[in-house]
Amino acid sequence: MQNKFKVADKVYLSIDFEDCSHDFKRNLGLNKNNKIKEKALWRSYGVINNFLESKLDGAKITFFCTGILATKCPELIKKISDDGHEIACHYYFHDSVRDESLEEFEKNIVLAINELEKCSNNKVMGFRAPNFSIRASDDNHFKIISKYFKYDSSLNINDESEINRLKQSINSNELKLIPVVAEKPYLGLPYMKSGGSYLKLFNVHFSLQVISKNLLKKQISQVYLHPYEFVSDMSFYTNWKEMNGLSFFKKIYWLLRQSQWHIVGNKSVLRKLDKIFSKYQHGGQIKDI
Ligand SMILES: [Zn+2]
């Protein structure tokens, strides 16, 4: 059985649409008054959509949204869908799926789909696990994914035989596996993906090398980004007061650590995307692959 990759010099831009501040506080157990930063999400979506309109001929792309955003800010998810973009699933909360039982995993998938489809003009067809937290050896997770989705974009592997093994194991010809394939951009460097912090923190040539290697191997090339990477106004920053409950030193640590996410390199993201898409055609929505 072959997993068919299309050959084209296209790059698929997608957004993992989540509120990093909400997810951050949830991971630290700061659940009291953990409100979604809806204004920041609207602002970031505006920046993303404006880039698509002005630089990519109004391209329609895929937004992998957490279900909690559909519950808490339905108008925003509806707006993204009404603008013609694909709403796909990024789980209900931005939790690592491997930390949960298979029953919880399926329950959260169903909850996320239900919430997202209330706001979306399209049937939710695609899934990407938060933090790419599924491995190709997680056959049972993929059996559940194949029940609800047409495609999955959670893997980072470049091993086609492993993908074919997985497809045989889950006995599904229907589920397309569309990984975000990591590559070593230059000899001696570790594997990198084209997107997220890799794109934000490093010279754009690293991402261009990854893309070029993906395409040479006839793999689908994807650039993924997050809302907080498009703004540099600190609007997703979790402030000192919001971290009440943590020790003084932990607060200091997390204040500094957040700078990496919210400040360093954020202003370069649009310029880097512009560079990538001056070289490659944008691919559109992942459901159409
Ligand atoms: Zn995510």
Side-chain angles (χ1 to χ4, degrees):
M1 201 191 313
Q2 290 295 308
N3 190 57
K4 292 203 166 36
F5 290 116
K6 274 189 184 175
V7 187
D9 278 355
K10 282 181 184 170
V11 174
Y12 289 81
L13 171 65
S14 62
I15 309 296
D16 292 356
F17 203 73
E18 67 215 28
D19 175 1
C20 61
S21 169
H22 182 272
D23 308 333
F24 169 70
K25 281 176 276 182
R26 183 176 161 80
N27 286 338
L28 290 175
L30 302 170
N31 294 317
K32 217 172 142 194
N33 297 321
N34 189 359
K35 290 197 183 109
I36 298 285
K37 293 199 184 281
E38 187 171 351
K39 263 191 197 166
L41 286 166
W42 274 97
R43 188 174 307 133
S44 173
Y45 174 65
V47 173
I48 296 166
N49 204 43
N50 186 46
F51 173 80
L52 297 172
E53 294 282 336
S54 61
K55 301 282 187 177
L56 294 190
D57 304 322
K60 307 301 177 192
I61 62 167
T62 299
F63 286 74
F64 291 92
C65 306
T66 50
I68 180 73
L69 293 191
T71 307
K72 298 288 185 186
C73 351
E75 289 305 315
L76 175 54
I77 304 301
K78 193 174 176 313
K79 165 76 174 149
I80 299 172
S81 184
D82 286 349
D83 284 345
H85 302 297
E86 177 192 358
I87 303 296
C89 180
H90 198 38
Y91 209 39
Y92 189 73
F93 289 113
H94 200 268
D95 295 342
S96 174
V97 303
R98 295 176 107 241
D99 294 342
E100 298 182 342
S101 68
L102 288 170
E103 290 72 27
E104 283 174 302
F105 176 59
E106 184 160 7
K107 204 176 87 190
N108 283 320
I109 290 271
V110 171
L111 176 62
I113 293 173
N114 286 343
E115 291 299 285
L116 291 168
E117 287 191 346
K118 279 185 207 164
C119 312
S120 167
N121 299 318
N122 66 267
K123 192 173 153 30
V124 171
M125 292 167 73
F127 179 67
R128 180 177 290 157
N131 298 323
F132 300 102
S133 56
I134 300 187
R135 295 179 195 159
S137 54
D138 293 330
D139 296 22
N140 289 330
H141 286 86
F142 279 99
K143 280 180 189 158
I144 293 170
I145 291 168
S146 71
K147 275 169 71 177
Y148 297 99
F149 299 103
K150 294 280 181 213
Y151 73 88
D152 176 88
S153 183
S154 303
L155 295 173
N156 295 149
I157 57 169
N158 57 2
D159 182 346
E160 224 173 302
S161 65
E162 183 59 16
I163 286 181
N164 290 330
R165 184 212 61 79
L166 175 62
K167 281 178 82 85
Q168 272 177 336
S169 161
I170 61 175
N171 198 19
S172 171
N173 281 322
E174 294 300 309
L175 183 71
K176 271 191 196 172
L177 296 169
I178 306 176
V180 177
V181 182
E183 288 285 352
K184 291 180 178 181
Y186 296 103
L187 210 66
L189 287 182
Y191 279 100
M192 293 171 78
K193 289 169 270 182
S194 50
S197 295
Y198 298 102
L199 181 71
K200 202 169 79 87
L201 300 177
F202 294 95
N203 189 294
V204 69
H205 291 292
F206 288 76
S207 285
L208 285 168
Q209 274 292 105
V210 173
I211 290 167
S212 153
K213 289 194 171 188
N214 290 159
L215 294 172
L216 264 174
K217 292 179 183 171
K218 305 188 190 330
Q219 290 156 341
I220 290 162
S221 189
Q222 298 197 57
V223 172
Y224 66 95
L225 282 163
H226 308 90
Y228 68 90
E229 286 155 340
F230 286 88
V231 290
S232 44
D233 58 2
M234 313 279 279
S235 51
F236 284 103
Y237 217 89
T238 299
N239 64 34
W240 188 266
K241 205 173 151 200
E242 287 175 287
M243 285 195 279
N244 273 347
L246 295 185
S247 71
F248 177 81
F249 290 107
K250 278 195 173 155
K251 283 182 178 180
I252 296 279
Y253 170 79
W254 285 116
L255 277 185
L256 294 172
R257 189 70 210 284
Q258 285 186 87
S259 306
Q260 183 198 327
W261 309 331
H262 302 302
I263 302 169
V264 184
N266 292 43
K267 282 186 177 156
S268 70
V269 165
L270 290 179
R271 179 173 45 76
K272 288 172 179 169
L273 281 181
D274 207 11
K275 179 98 181 164
I276 290 170
F277 289 104
S278 65
K279 211 168 152 60
Y280 296 104
Q281 231 186 308
H282 70 80
Q285 303 181 358
I286 299 175
K287 72 179 170 63
D288 295 329
I289 290 177

